[in-house]
Amino acid sequence: MAPHPLGAPTIQVAHEIEQPFLGVSDNVGPCAASAPPSPTRMPGDCSEAEAGACRGAAKKLRARRGGRSRPKSELALSKQRRSRRKKANDRERNRMHNLNSALDALRGVLPTFPDDAKLTKIETLRFAHNYIWALTQTLRIADHSFYGPDPPAPSCGELGSPDSGSSGDWGSLYSPVSQTGSLSPAVSLEERPGLRAPTSPACLRLGTLTFSDFL
DNA sequence: TAGGCCATCTGGTCCT
DNA sequence: AGGACCAGATGGCCTA
């Protein structure tokens, strides 16, 4: 992974992502089929020593339900539990796949170089947060220059920060406000060359980006 | 080899 | 009752 040459920032527009994340219906995800059987015990698996406790629990459960339902054998209960667990696992897997799809879509609209290392989940969220903030600042400055007297272009360090409030951890990665007060991503980005943090409008002028890239 | 990241399983909780 | 959501645990893969 080569560090990005300075002065050649580009915006990678994800044209391929034309739809917001619709429901991903991949019940069989890439890992679903290859998912190893769980090494852990299923809840219904009782050792002989635990069988008594299991039976007791089942009894209690039946009692709580009023004991009206047709009594089931331990085997049937165990089968039912396994079946429910398996279905829950499938749903959970699918849910996480959907979440990852949404995350991928988000990665797709963030300005990164094609050969960049894939942003991790937390990096993606933080990057997106700061990127949105940078775009917001862009619009704000554009409004000012359109309606009012053209204010002096703020330096990279003069802009506010998305983290000026109590947003907690958001700024710990790619924060426009680094320890130096600069909007350039200081520490974290240098720790991970190849990644680029969103730049402020003022900073964007330094590259090939202009406001029209955002408007 | 340690540490980071990730996928998956699991049980608990809340909601419909 | 069943589904969605969540957080903890676990194990695999990759990289410095």
Side-chain angles (χ1 to χ4, degrees), chain A residues 6-24:
Chain A
L6 290 176
T10 59
I11 292 285
Q12 177 198 358
V13 180
H15 295 291
E16 66 278 10
I17 300 172
E18 292 174 346
Q19 298 180 0
F21 353 105
L22 302 174
V24 177

Side-chain angles (χ1 to χ4, degrees), chain A residues 27-101:
Chain A
N27 283 331
V28 185
C31 307
S34 61
S38 170
T40 53
R41 235 172 20 160
M42 298 295 287
D45 299 343
C46 293
S47 69
E48 300 220 357
E50 293 166 324
C54 266
R55 272 192 294 274
K59 214 181 209 174
K60 224 184 250 179
L61 197 62
R62 267 201 303 276
R64 204 167 50 190
R65 289 172 181 164
R68 284 197 167 269
S69 58
R70 187 163 167 247
K72 288 183 178 174
S73 69
E74 281 304 313
L75 185 65
L77 279 175
S78 174
K79 262 187 174 179
Q80 189 186 36
R81 275 193 289 263
R82 284 174 195 266
S83 169
R84 272 207 285 261
R85 221 328 103 194
K86 188 171 182 301
K87 272 173 39 176
N89 288 347
D90 286 344
R91 285 194 304 271
E92 177 66 9
R93 208 180 305 125
N94 203 37
R95 195 180 69 87
M96 294 311 293
H97 287 168
N98 285 341
L99 187 61
N100 288 337
S101 295

Side-chain angles (χ1 to χ4, degrees), chain A residues 125-140:
Chain A
L125 292 175
R126 286 174 174 155
F127 198 163
H129 174 259
N130 290 324
Y131 186 50
I132 290 169
W133 171 85
L135 295 182
T136 303
Q137 295 301 312
T138 301
L139 290 175
R140 184 176 301 169

